[in-house]
Amino acid sequence: MTDSKRRRGLMAASALLGGVLVLTACSGGDDKASGSGGDTSQAKADEAAAKKSSEAQITITPKDGSNNASINNSAVTVSKGTLTSVTMTTADGKAVAGALSADKKSWKPAAQLERSTGYKVAAEAKDAAGLVAHENASFTTVSPSNSFIGNFTPEDGSTVGVGMPVSINFDKAITNKAAVQKGITVTSSSGQEVVGHWFNANRIDFRPEAYWQENSTVTLKLALDGVQGANGVYGVQQKTVTFHIGRNQVSYVDAKTKQMKVTQDGKTVKTIPISAGSPENKTYQGIMVMQEKFKETRMNGATVGFTDDDGKGEYDIKDVPHAIRLTSSGTFLHGNYWGAKSIFGSVNTSHGCVGLSDTKGANDPNTPAAWMYSHSILGDVVVVKNTGDKTVAPDNGLNGWNLDWAQWKAGSAV
């Protein structure tokens, strides 16, 4: 190799090594050499992480991802801060109204949520230093197939007679009766002991041993939210109902004398001639409670088993006046304008109801039926005797008073 070739080889090698050295220097951690001035992406992340986060701690109920969630207990709360914004929407974007508490520590929907509905919640809060915290959750409420509801009587705020029981009919059969009954409390301002009695898997009634004390207040509390009534079926109700007991009115129907004696607070206020069930169609005996009132109603015999050979009802009266229902099976105390006035107080002619003299149209306030109608409220008691028929079944209407106290208590599940 000549000297000139050797020099060119050394120069090439030197240039290659120099390139390696330059590349190595560019990949180093010397900020000054890189010209970054300390403002790298990693440095920014470290700086953000070092900042103090908000102390406000937001809790959303139900928890994120919940299924079969309660329709009653949805709420947003915060500790170590105050809520500044809460929004709830359905899965399709419909806003749900709600309100913050006065101290801005909690938020609740304005009304009960819908069943089988997806909801989304977004909440924001600030701590004492003004630092903001956020929380989000989505959940789906319990479906009708996985929940039960009890339809109850009497209505909240109503005034009723001394015989009105608290009657609850569930939309699904209850197998865990003890748990459900423990979730229901009925109390009276009179201090009377109140006990529940199950008639079947769907119905429970509550009453005291004797009629409610007149002018008392009864409170029904349903704490059934989340209570398992049957396998995979949970309660959703959580509410309080109060109703007032009016004067003590009990009427006594004697099918033998064909008279009805109306008493208030133990004193007879009126005696009314009646016509009860005929010997072929006797009226039930026993204690019955007024459960519905109609100024006029239609009565068709076919609906209660009274039919002619052609299958049509033995009677079909479209405007029976001043009708008061006593049983679910169709026993009424009602006005009668089609019968001769002479039958009242002298002969029993009905298909099982108790008839009182009346006029067509239900507009004459001076008839015995009109007087009875205007002086009666739901829950008033009618005691029927001397008909020759059996005692009305206690679950035929609101007529549990036909069970003595021992029999009544035996139907309790707790």
Side-chain angles (χ1 to χ4, degrees), residues 31-63:
D31 289 340
K32 291 182 179 180
S34 66
S36 66
D39 193 24
T40 65
S41 297
Q42 183 61 48
K44 289 181 178 180
D46 292 343
E47 182 181 357
K51 287 184 178 180
K52 187 177 181 181
S53 60
S54 176
E55 292 186 349
Q57 297 179 3
I58 302 171
T59 301
I60 298 176
T61 305
K63 293 181 179 180

Side-chain angles (χ1 to χ4, degrees), residues 370-384:
W371 184 95
M372 187 65 190
Y373 186 89
S374 65
H375 286 79
S376 298
I377 59 176
L378 301 185
D380 281 348
V381 178
V382 178
V383 182
V384 182

Side-chain angles (χ1 to χ4, degrees), residues 29-273:
D30 189 337
D31 289 340
K32 291 182 179 180
S34 66
S36 66
D39 193 24
T40 65
S41 297
Q42 183 61 48
K44 289 181 178 180
D46 292 343
E47 182 181 357
K51 287 184 178 180
K52 187 177 181 181
S53 60
S54 176
E55 292 186 349
Q57 297 179 3
I58 302 171
T59 301
I60 298 176
T61 305
K63 293 181 179 180
D64 184 38
S66 296
N67 290 311
N68 291 328
S70 167
I71 61 174
N72 298 293
N73 296 325
S74 181
V76 179
T77 59
V78 65
S79 60
K80 298 181 180 180
T82 55
L83 291 168
T84 55
S85 174
V86 177
T87 59
M88 176 183 281
T89 59
T90 59
D92 58 5
K94 183 180 178 181
V96 177
L100 280 172
S101 61
D103 61 3
K104 298 184 179 181
K105 294 286 187 180
S106 63
W107 178 95
K108 290 184 177 181
Q112 189 180 65
L113 301 182
E114 298 293 330
R115 290 190 285 179
S116 286
T117 303
Y119 291 92
K120 295 180 179 180
V121 181
E124 179 184 283
K126 287 184 179 181
D127 63 10
L131 297 175
V132 178
H134 297 272
E135 193 69 46
N136 297 275
S138 298
F139 59 86
T140 302
T141 52
V142 64
S143 68
S145 61
N146 293 112
S147 59
F148 68 88
I149 286 179
N151 297 303
F152 57 84
T153 191
E155 295 182 0
D156 187 26
S158 60
T159 296
V160 296
V162 296
M164 177 64 78
V166 172
S167 184
I168 305 174
N169 286 273
F170 298 106
D171 62 354
K172 292 184 177 62
I174 303 299
T175 57
N176 195 358
K177 292 180 179 178
V180 171
Q181 188 173 339
K182 287 176 182 177
I184 306 169
T185 57
V186 181
T187 57
S188 172
S189 62
S190 67
Q192 291 172 277
E193 179 188 9
V194 183
V195 175
H197 179 97
W198 290 89
F199 285 113
N200 52 50
N202 294 81
R203 177 180 172 185
I204 183 172
D205 285 14
F206 291 82
R207 70 165 176 89
E209 181 175 5
Y211 300 141
W212 300 106
Q213 183 67 43
E214 60 269 21
N215 300 315
S216 60
T217 298
V218 180
T219 300
L220 162 66
K221 290 185 178 181
L222 297 172
L224 296 174
D225 191 82
V227 174
Q228 187 172 23
N231 186 30
V233 179
Y234 298 87
V236 295
Q237 288 169 296
Q238 186 169 293
K239 66 187 308 176
T240 299
V241 173
T242 60
F243 58 94
H244 183 71
I245 305 299
R247 76 286 178 272
N248 183 326
Q249 179 166 304
V250 180
S251 300
Y252 298 89
V253 172
D254 189 332
K256 185 175 182 180
T257 64
K258 303 165 188 66
Q259 301 289 322
M260 178 172 66
K261 181 175 68 174
V262 183
T263 69
Q264 289 185 358
D265 301 323
K267 297 179 181 179
T268 300
V269 295
K270 196 172 186 68
T271 300
I272 301 175

Side-chain angles (χ1 to χ4, degrees), residues 355-404:
L356 289 71
S357 180
D358 208 342
T359 57
K360 186 178 178 65
N363 291 318
D364 184 351
N366 299 311
T367 67
W371 184 95
M372 187 65 190
Y373 186 89
S374 65
H375 286 79
S376 298
I377 59 176
L378 301 185
D380 281 348
V381 178
V382 178
V383 182
V384 182
K385 64 179 183 178
N386 294 328
T387 69
D389 201 10
K390 63 183 179 181
T391 299
V392 64
D395 61 345
N396 186 358
L398 303 174
N399 300 325
W401 300 102
N402 293 286
L403 295 174
D404 64 32

